[in-house]
Amino acid sequence: GLRPRRGRNPTRLEAAEGGAGAAAMATPAAEFRLGQRVCDADGFVATVAYIGPVATARDPERAWLGVVWDEPTRGKHDGSVSDDEGRVHRYFQCEPGRGSFLKPHVADAGRGFLDALAERYVTMDAPFIAPGDVLPGAFAPTSSGRGRAIEFVGE
């Protein structure tokens, strides 16, 4: 997951507990969506505003991520680029100096909430603590003042 870094810049994030690994670095553009929050290798945070080819790229077929940085001076443009003939190609709109194009493998989207939750609380090698679907020694109070055993229902 992503968490704020301690320090002067609150828009920088760092990967929590080994977040940006080899799998995150090999992410294809198809794995991203418009509006998704990402960060770069330096921990700067941005929002994906465009996914696709860019006219000024060496490989016109390669998909890029057009991003709008949270940090106002992190970017290089306003969502548009000019080709060698001076034609302007607009891919998204943002304030001047806030936009950039990133190769997908440079962007880290962290991990989703459900993935983080499952990793933290429900791993495949988790011990079985409720034989017969009843939690031993745990009771919930009833209106009569007695305790009722806590049962697990479902998976």
Side-chain angles (χ1 to χ4, degrees):
L2 303 175
R3 67 174 181 227
R5 277 192 182 169
R6 299 189 193 284
R8 296 183 338 205
N9 187 345
T11 62
R12 291 174 61 117
L13 295 181
E14 64 183 358
E17 299 176 21
M25 297 306 287
T27 308
E31 298 297 315
F32 292 93
R33 68 186 187 290
L34 296 179
Q36 184 173 3
R37 303 285 285 159
V38 297
C39 72
D40 68 2
D42 295 325
F44 285 94
V45 182
T47 302
V48 177
Y50 171 78
I51 303 169
V54 176
T56 57
R58 284 188 209 147
D59 179 0
E61 300 299 314
R62 169 179 265 182
W64 291 75
L65 302 178
V67 300
V68 179
W69 297 104
D70 289 2
E71 180 66 35
T73 59
R74 179 71 175 160
K76 298 181 178 186
H77 53 72
D78 65 353
S80 65
V81 295
S82 298
D83 62 21
D84 292 337
E85 288 82 37
R87 289 185 300 241
V88 175
H89 301 265
R90 176 156 306 281
Y91 297 97
F92 60 95
Q93 182 77 41
C94 68
E95 296 173 31
R98 244 184 151 138
S100 292
F101 289 103
L102 300 177
K103 293 178 181 176
H105 72 274
V106 173
D108 182 5
R111 59 184 168 194
F113 173 73
L114 293 178
D115 292 335
L117 187 66
E119 182 179 311
R120 172 70 173 95
Y121 295 104
V122 185
T123 60
M124 293 307 291
D125 60 349
F128 187 67
I129 61 168
D133 293 329
V134 176
L135 190 59
F139 298 90
T142 64
S143 59
S144 66
R146 296 188 209 173
R148 176 145 177 113
I150 297 176
E151 298 179 37
F152 290 96
V153 179
E155 292 193 30

